[in-house]
Every structure is written in C-alpha cells, then in structure tokens.
C-alpha cells in the first residue's frame, strides 16, 4: 500500500484503562466485587476491540491508561496485532485531543470509542466512518447519560475538548455548541448506553451477565483464584 493510500484510510482508536481490581468499574464493586468488576471491564474492552476489528475500517489502535505496560494490553497486542499507545497525562479531553492529533497525522479520519459500551457494534463504527468519508467533519454517537460513546473526526480542534465538564450531562450539549461555533458539518448516530451504574447490569447482554454476575448463593462462577470465570475469552 502506498503512503498516500494508507493516509486515506480510517483508524479506530479504543480508549481503555488497565483492568486493575479496585480501580475500574468502581461503582459496580458492591454487586460484583473488585475481581468481578475488573473481569467485566476486561470483557467490555475485548468487546470494543472485537467491534473495531470486525468493522474492517483500517488499523485499530489501543490507547491505554495509565500506560501500555499492563499484561492485559500486551496480550491484546500479541493476539490482535494492533498497536498500543499510552494515553498520557491530563483529563479525558486532553488525552482524546492528544490521540486525535497523533492519529490524524497518519490517517485522513479517525474514530474514537470507549471500552464500556456493551452494545457497540461493527456496523455502528461503519456508519460513523461512512459519515466522515461522505464529507462530515465530525460524527458523534450520543450516550443516554448526556455524553457520547463515539466521536469521529476528519480534522481536530482543541476547542472540542478543552474544559468540558466530563462525566456530567452537559458533555454533549456543550460539544454541540462548540461544533456549531466552528461551523463544522456534524452527523449523529443513534443513542447508545454505557455501563456505569449498578442498574445498568440488568441491561447487559445475556452472555455477559451469565459470565460475571454473582450466582444467587453469592458464589458466582469463579475460578480457583476467586476471579469470575469468563467463558469464551478468545480475545
């Protein structure tokens, strides 16, 4: 492939935190325990990576926090042949801006997704790429909580990410205002939900709920180390 052809391809960025017990999915720990919450987090990261690779849009990059040294990330690199990058310092906006600025030097468009979206699909990513390829400057996948689960760009402006109230219901409305001020062409995809609260566990697809929800007697489906067993962990 020529350099110009490679530059014209889309890249998919997956943001993920290392699955360290006690530091991920902390709001789910009362229901799952630290090990169970970490196991569910691993499963969700793998789900996002599967959607990204199945979409076949171009290279997939895993951007890792706090860095790319965790064995879980290294195993994903080995199995999937994707590239690892550290998210670096700063709030979420600063880290996303850094990722887009880096990726858009080697691709004409890029799509960034998180790793807590049980219903993300390859087709959803393809729809995002189609909007960018069709001439949109930005595409967003809204989240039910007022944020977004996906953002895709064909160009980057720091104003999209500076001093946004991350984690609150004003993320998407404020982002829309800034897009309008930039006079950029925007497409929005159907609204999805991300898994963040205890009540979200009941919305999980059946195969995820069976793998990680504790059993009625409190024992759960666990391996010898006390970690919930993940059936079909191919990724």
């Amino acid at each position: 492939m020529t350099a110009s052809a490679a530059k014209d391809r889309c890249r998919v960025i997956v943001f993920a935190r290392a699955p360290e017990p006690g530091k991920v999915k902390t709001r789910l720990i009362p229901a799952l325990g630290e090990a169970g919450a970490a196991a569910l987090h691993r499963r969700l990261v793998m789900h996002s990576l599967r959607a990204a690779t199945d979409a076949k849009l171009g290279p997939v990059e895993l951007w890792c926090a706090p860095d790319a040294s965790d064995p879980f990330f290294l195993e994903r690199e080995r199995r999937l042949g994707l590239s690892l990058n550290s998210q670096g310092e700063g709030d979420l906006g600063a880290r996303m801006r850094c990722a887009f600025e880096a990726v858009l030097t080697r691709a004409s468009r890029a799509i960034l997704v998180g790793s807590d979206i049980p219903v993300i699909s390859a087709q959803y990513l393809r729809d995002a790429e189609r909007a960018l390829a069709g001439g949109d400057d930005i595409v967003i996948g809204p989240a039910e909580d007022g944020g977004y689960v996906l953002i895709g760009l064909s160009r980057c402006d720091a104003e999209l990410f500076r001093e946004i109230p991350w984690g609150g219901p004003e993320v998407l409305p404020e982002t829309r205002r800034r897009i309008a001020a930039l006079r950029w062409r925007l497409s929005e995809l159907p609204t999805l939900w991300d898994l963040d609260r205890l009540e979200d566990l009941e919305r999980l697809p059946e195969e995820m709920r069976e793998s990680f929800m504790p059993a009625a007697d409190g024992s759960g489906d666990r391996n010898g180390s006390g970690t919930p067993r993940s059936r079909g962990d191919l990724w």
Side-chain angles (χ1 to χ4, degrees):
M1 180 182 295
T2 65
S4 60
K7 181 69 166 61
D8 189 54
R9 299 185 73 190
C10 180
R11 286 182 180 246
V12 180
I13 305 163
V14 178
F15 260 33
R17 180 165 292 278
E20 187 175 349
K23 295 188 177 181
V24 293
K25 294 294 169 214
T26 55
R27 283 191 259 184
L28 305 183
I29 289 174
L32 301 179
E34 291 185 356
L40 177 55
H41 176 76
R42 286 193 295 271
R43 180 65 176 268
L44 290 167
V45 174
M46 292 188 288
H47 177 74
S48 287
L49 289 172
R50 177 174 294 184
T53 54
D54 286 353
K56 301 186 187 307
L57 300 176
V60 177
E61 302 189 8
L62 180 56
W63 284 67
C64 312
D67 56 50
S69 65
D70 190 273
F72 173 76
F73 295 143
L74 297 175
E75 181 67 6
R76 305 283 76 73
E77 178 186 38
R78 185 186 70 81
R79 292 195 183 197
L80 299 177
L82 46 78
S83 63
L84 301 183
N85 302 270
S86 295
Q87 291 182 24
E89 302 296 327
D91 67 5
L92 177 60
R95 289 179 277 126
M96 288 198 295
R97 176 185 58 78
C98 179
F100 272 116
E101 287 178 348
V103 171
L104 287 174
T105 65
R106 50 185 181 266
S108 61
R109 49 198 180 274
I111 295 167
L112 187 152
V113 295
S115 53
D116 56 357
I117 318 155
V119 291
I120 196 75
S121 68
Q123 187 58 53
Y124 196 81
L125 294 170
R126 292 187 199 108
D127 290 344
E129 197 276 338
R130 186 177 299 113
L132 295 175
D136 288 336
D137 301 295
I138 181 169
V139 58
I140 284 180
E144 288 182 356
D145 62 6
Y148 50 79
V149 301
L150 174 152
I151 179 170
L153 298 175
S154 58
R155 52 173 154 165
C156 188
D157 191 297
E159 191 59 27
L160 290 172
F161 305 109
R162 184 184 296 118
E163 297 180 355
I164 294 285
W166 303 109
E170 284 300 307
V171 172
L172 184 55
E174 179 60 27
T175 301
R176 287 180 178 132
R177 284 191 285 271
R178 298 189 186 194
I179 294 168
L182 289 168
R183 298 184 181 276
W184 281 11
R185 181 172 164 181
L186 164 69
S187 280
E188 293 194 14
L189 302 175
T191 300
L192 300 183
W193 61 279
D194 50 12
L195 198 160
D196 196 39
R197 303 164 300 171
L198 287 173
E199 51 264 40
D200 294 330
L201 289 171
E202 292 303 317
R203 305 173 72 180
L204 274 172
E206 190 66 28
E207 65 274 12
M208 289 187 184
R209 192 160 61 242
E210 288 180 353
S211 295
F212 298 104
M213 287 294 286
D217 63 2
S219 62
D221 179 15
R222 297 174 181 268
N223 59 29
S225 67
T227 301
R229 189 182 309 279
S230 173
R231 291 185 284 273
D233 182 358
L234 302 178
W235 288 65

